[in-house]
Amino acid sequence: MKIKVNNLTKKYGQLVALDNITMTFNQNKIIGLLGDNGSGKSTLIKLIANLLSPTSGNITYDDEQFNYNMLNKISYLPERSYLKISATPGYYLAYFKKFFNDFDQDLYLKLLKEHNIPLNKPIRALSKGMREKVQLFLVLARRCEIYIFDEPLAGVDQVARDFILDTIVKFRAPNSTVIITTHLIYDVDKFLDEVIFIKNGKVILYDDKDNIVNRYQKSLVDVFRELYYVF
């Protein structure tokens, strides 16, 4: 699925979160949507996932306007947990099977088993790390065209960040596109095919990662520092 963003603006009252953005997300790529806090990253991906409505402009998916059949083509991991603490991983297995035709039950069960996560234990009884894995596994068990991860590395240690990224790369559906928002550039660098830098609601750079590194003759981290005046 090719996603095109056309003259997209999003305002919250007088605050302009996104300012007339036009761009295309390329297929079968891992794309880093990078920027500092408040840059507009999360607003953009929530618009792509149809969780927000634009103030002006639009987004097309394979040149079509959004329709609810497209929900089966996008798997989204929000920054904050949506798991009910009284529910179980088994409850979410049944829930996802009911609502998503592309849900791979066998993959989900395999991942839970490999990481010793009990199927019928309440979420409240699981460790923080286990809860995060349940959400990640639910998203990746969808065999869809677009995966969107909103700040999946925030608030976790280095081992957990490595695990999350390795798991995304290993278990995403073949030929799918992955969009990851983060400001932790060092961690995602080696996984990315393309990079979008967004600042103050505007896309200031979008290119193949290797092209950016070669053009600036700097690491991606140092390019980020230069573009965002981080010293």
Side-chain angles (χ1 to χ4, degrees):
M1 179 189 288
K2 181 173 286 188
I3 300 174
K4 293 183 179 179
V5 175
N6 308 296
N7 303 114
L8 192 69
T9 295
K10 178 62 179 177
K11 296 180 180 179
Y12 300 100
Q14 297 301 310
L15 175 65
V16 180
L18 293 176
D19 189 4
N20 197 35
I21 288 177
T22 295
M23 61 188 301
T24 299
F25 287 84
N26 293 317
Q27 295 174 282
N28 193 22
K29 301 289 185 180
I30 299 179
I31 302 170
L33 181 56
L34 311 181
D36 50 8
N37 292 329
S39 59
K41 304 187 302 296
S42 291
T43 295
L44 178 55
I45 62 168
K46 286 176 182 175
L47 286 162
I48 292 171
N50 202 48
L51 298 173
L52 294 173
S53 298
T55 303
S56 61
N58 63 72
I59 301 172
T60 59
Y61 309 79
D62 288 341
D63 298 321
E64 293 184 40
Q65 294 291 325
F66 181 86
N67 62 69
Y68 282 96
N69 291 329
M70 292 171 184
L71 288 175
N72 284 321
K73 297 186 177 184
I74 300 174
S75 191
Y76 171 70
L77 180 68
E79 182 178 5
R80 295 183 179 180
S81 176
Y82 58 81
L83 299 178
K84 296 192 297 184
I85 62 172
S86 60
T88 66
Y91 165 85
Y92 283 105
L93 184 154
Y95 182 88
F96 271 59
K97 274 188 66 178
K98 179 179 180 180
F99 286 98
F100 300 110
N101 296 329
D102 58 13
F103 186 72
D104 186 339
Q105 172 180 317
D106 292 338
L107 175 58
Y108 178 62
L109 290 172
K110 172 179 178 287
L111 290 168
L112 292 179
K113 184 176 180 181
E114 285 182 355
H115 296 277
N116 300 311
I117 299 175
L119 192 62
N120 296 312
K121 197 170 185 178
I123 299 298
R124 69 162 66 87
L126 302 180
S127 68
K128 181 176 181 291
M130 284 185 174
R131 296 181 193 189
E132 290 165 350
K133 287 175 181 175
V134 170
Q135 284 202 130
L136 179 64
F137 298 161
L138 285 167
V139 169
L140 289 171
R142 300 268 316 279
R143 304 286 82 192
C144 60
E145 296 182 39
I146 303 287
Y147 296 92
I148 300 175
F149 298 91
D150 190 2
E151 297 287 357
L153 310 180
V156 300
D157 62 28
Q158 185 64 57
V159 172
R161 292 199 294 270
D162 291 342
F163 170 80
I164 290 167
L165 292 167
D166 287 337
T167 303
I168 290 171
V169 171
K170 183 176 180 180
F171 291 106
R172 69 181 176 125
N175 302 316
S176 60
T177 296
V178 176
I179 303 170
I180 302 175
T181 75
T182 187
H183 58 277
L184 300 172
I185 315 302
Y186 178 80
D187 294 286
V188 297
D189 186 341
K190 67 180 180 180
F191 297 94
L192 301 179
D193 299 309
E194 297 182 348
V195 176
I196 303 166
F197 285 110
I198 187 168
K199 182 178 181 180
N200 297 328
K202 291 181 176 290
V203 172
I204 58 174
L205 179 62
Y206 181 14
D207 202 348
D208 182 272
K209 183 191 72 175
D210 292 338
N211 288 344
I212 292 173
V213 170
N214 291 335
R215 184 190 316 165
Y216 282 83
Q217 291 295 298
K218 294 180 178 181
S219 70
L220 200 61
V221 172
D222 287 335
V223 174
F224 180 82
R225 290 193 179 106
E226 179 174 324
L227 292 176
Y228 293 85
Y229 307 102
V230 178
F231 299 102

